[in-house]
Amino acid sequence: MPRAGFASLLGRPNAGKSTLLNRIVGEKIAIVSDKPQTTRTRIVGGRNYPDGQIVFVDTPGIHRPLHRLNVRMVDAAVETLREVDVVALVFDASTRPGRGDEYVSGLLKNVRSPVVLVLNKIDLVAKASLLPLLEQAQRWHPFAAMIPVSAATGDGVERLEAELLARMPEGAPAYPDDYLTDQPERTLAAEIVREKVLNHTRAELPFSTAVSVDQFDESERERLLKIYCTIFVETESQKPIVIGRGGEMIKRIGTEARHELEAFFATGVYLDLRVKVNPDWRNDERTLDDLGVPKSRPRKRR
Ligand SMILES: Nc1nc2c(ncn2[C@@H]2O[C@H](COP(=O)(O)OP(=O)(O)OP(=O)(O)O)[C@@H](O)[C@H]2O)c(=O)[nH]1
Ligand SMILES: [Mg+2]
């Protein structure tokens, strides 16, 4: 009997969840950056095995939400807990476990699914330093297994996948065996542009930037895919940072994004980027809807 089901990747921002998802599915379907709060929605990625299928659900990092955007992000992550067959809680093993990790572990209290602890970034630390982390984690939650991995090098990842698959329910896979992701092409394009903005900016900008695709013109797709995007920032003063002196920065963002889009879509890409100010979009429910950030589900009274 094959095994098949859903596994969520949950954890604090920057733990390496999206890097791990990309590593497992073998394609870049989630953007990655060294800034926290990179992932803003759930991202589904499928992986097939000779004896089954796991559909992974990458989630936004759990943090204290200060804007409506962040409320939606954290809710999207927490909601997966009730829906998946196995939870993979991802810790960054290169940082000391802190209150944030304790908080995230606390969310697992009423979760019925088995939880596998993933100690990521072991390429950055000495093996001996994992022991205290494992001991601490065990005090927080009775993990079904604890697996050290490096999403960056791939070390330990196959073992992790085997441990997750072994805990999936028996049954036929729900998705076809070439299933990759639920991310629409437009979203993937917008996200790649946002990743380049994140890579090249600092401080508040990564948090206050959003990217929308205004037009995705496939009429000449064989030869040239034309993508028109708007990069939103929150204040007038942020605009020149994204544009750069003489347009240097926006050019660099555009070139890097275009190269990646061309490789991903396997065709020529024309990329048009403009920058617009949209004050306080992070608290504007309508803009969040337009950007495709899923709404939090209404909660029942306890
Ligand atoms: N050295 C090392 N770096 C890693 C590893 N995994 C992820 N990183 C880096 O850690 C940073 C965060 O990675 P992400 O995959 O974006 O982290 P995330 O958990 O998805 O973060 P959010 O989306 O913000 O919640 C990036 O700079 C990655 O390159 C790893 O195994 N080793
Ligand atoms: Mg992420």
Side-chain angles (χ1 to χ4, degrees):
M1 214 27 187
R3 293 184 180 273
F6 290 84
S8 66
L9 302 171
L10 191 89
R12 296 178 62 198
N14 243 347
K17 302 176 291 299
S18 301
T19 309
L20 187 57
L21 176 76
N22 293 338
R23 160 73 59 185
I24 291 171
V25 303
E27 288 251 19
K28 183 167 155 189
I29 57 172
I31 62 166
V32 164
S33 90
D34 60 356
K35 318 284 190 300
Q37 298 170 32
T38 298
T39 304
R40 289 180 177 163
T41 60
R42 298 194 222 189
I43 298 173
V44 169
R47 176 70 206 261
N48 281 274
Y49 305 94
D51 45 351
Q53 178 183 68
I54 305 177
V55 177
F56 290 87
V57 187
D58 181 22
T59 64
I62 307 272
H63 61 283
R64 194 158 65 90
L66 299 177
H67 295 83
R68 296 301 307 164
L69 165 70
N70 306 74
V71 171
R72 290 192 188 198
M73 285 162 61
V74 173
D75 283 354
V78 175
E79 279 165 13
T80 60
L81 284 173
R82 288 178 294 159
E83 296 162 4
V84 295
D85 302 289
V86 183
V87 176
L89 181 67
V90 185
F91 273 16
D92 178 347
S94 71
T95 63
R96 295 238 324 250
R99 255 192 290 176
D101 300 294
E102 188 174 1
Y103 176 77
V104 177
S105 306
L107 295 173
L108 305 170
K109 216 174 255 162
N110 298 318
V111 171
R112 285 199 216 118
S113 326
V115 184
V116 171
L117 180 70
V118 183
L119 293 180
N120 188 31
K121 308 198 189 182
I122 55 163
D123 56 296
L124 296 178
V125 297
K127 272 226 170 82
S129 71
L130 296 177
L131 267 172
L133 188 51
L134 291 168
E135 277 168 16
Q136 175 60 263
Q138 268 172 316
R139 266 176 251 139
W140 286 333
H141 189 82
F143 292 102
M146 301 197 281
I147 322 280
V149 307
S150 167
T153 67
D155 195 12
V157 174
E158 269 183 32
R159 190 183 148 215
L160 169 65
E161 293 174 71
E163 293 279 355
L164 295 174
L165 189 61
R167 289 175 174 79
M168 289 295 161
E170 288 188 344
Y175 290 84
D177 61 7
D178 59 352
Y179 180 77
L180 177 62
T181 183
D182 66 340
Q183 294 291 98
E185 289 188 330
R186 291 174 75 110
T187 309
L188 284 162
E191 285 287 272
I192 286 170
V193 172
R194 189 164 67 86
E195 182 186 73
K196 305 311 166 202
V197 178
L198 294 187
N199 286 169
H200 291 296
T201 56
R202 282 176 298 152
E204 195 50 25
L205 246 158
F207 301 101
S208 42
T209 300
V211 177
S212 75
V213 174
D214 307 315
Q215 207 190 328
F216 194 85
D217 180 353
E218 299 184 83
S219 56
E220 296 168 68
R221 182 164 178 147
E222 306 282 87
R223 189 178 66 80
L224 194 66
L225 182 61
K226 286 178 256 173
I227 307 172
Y228 300 77
C229 295
T230 301
I231 300 171
F232 291 108
V233 292
E234 279 188 326
T235 61
E236 279 299 334
S237 61
Q238 289 169 341
K239 220 171 141 173
I241 304 176
V242 176
I243 293 169
R245 193 178 295 176
E248 186 193 346
M249 178 63 91
I250 191 84
K251 215 171 177 178
R252 196 193 300 172
I253 290 168
T255 306
E256 284 183 19
R258 183 168 50 79
H259 285 148
E260 200 170 315
L261 291 165
E262 287 184 331
F264 188 84
F265 291 118
T267 183
V269 168
Y270 168 79
L271 181 63
D272 180 271
L273 298 180
R274 55 202 56 208
V275 184
K276 263 193 206 158
V277 178
N278 186 346
D280 207 29
W281 67 263
R282 281 184 282 176
N283 280 316
D284 183 36
E285 304 278 2
R286 271 221 19 215
T287 308
L288 295 175
D289 290 344
D290 290 347
L291 287 168
V293 184
K295 274 200 185 76
S296 301
R297 283 193 208 140
R299 289 243 170 68
K300 287 198 189 116
R301 262 177 234 271
R302 284 177 205 246

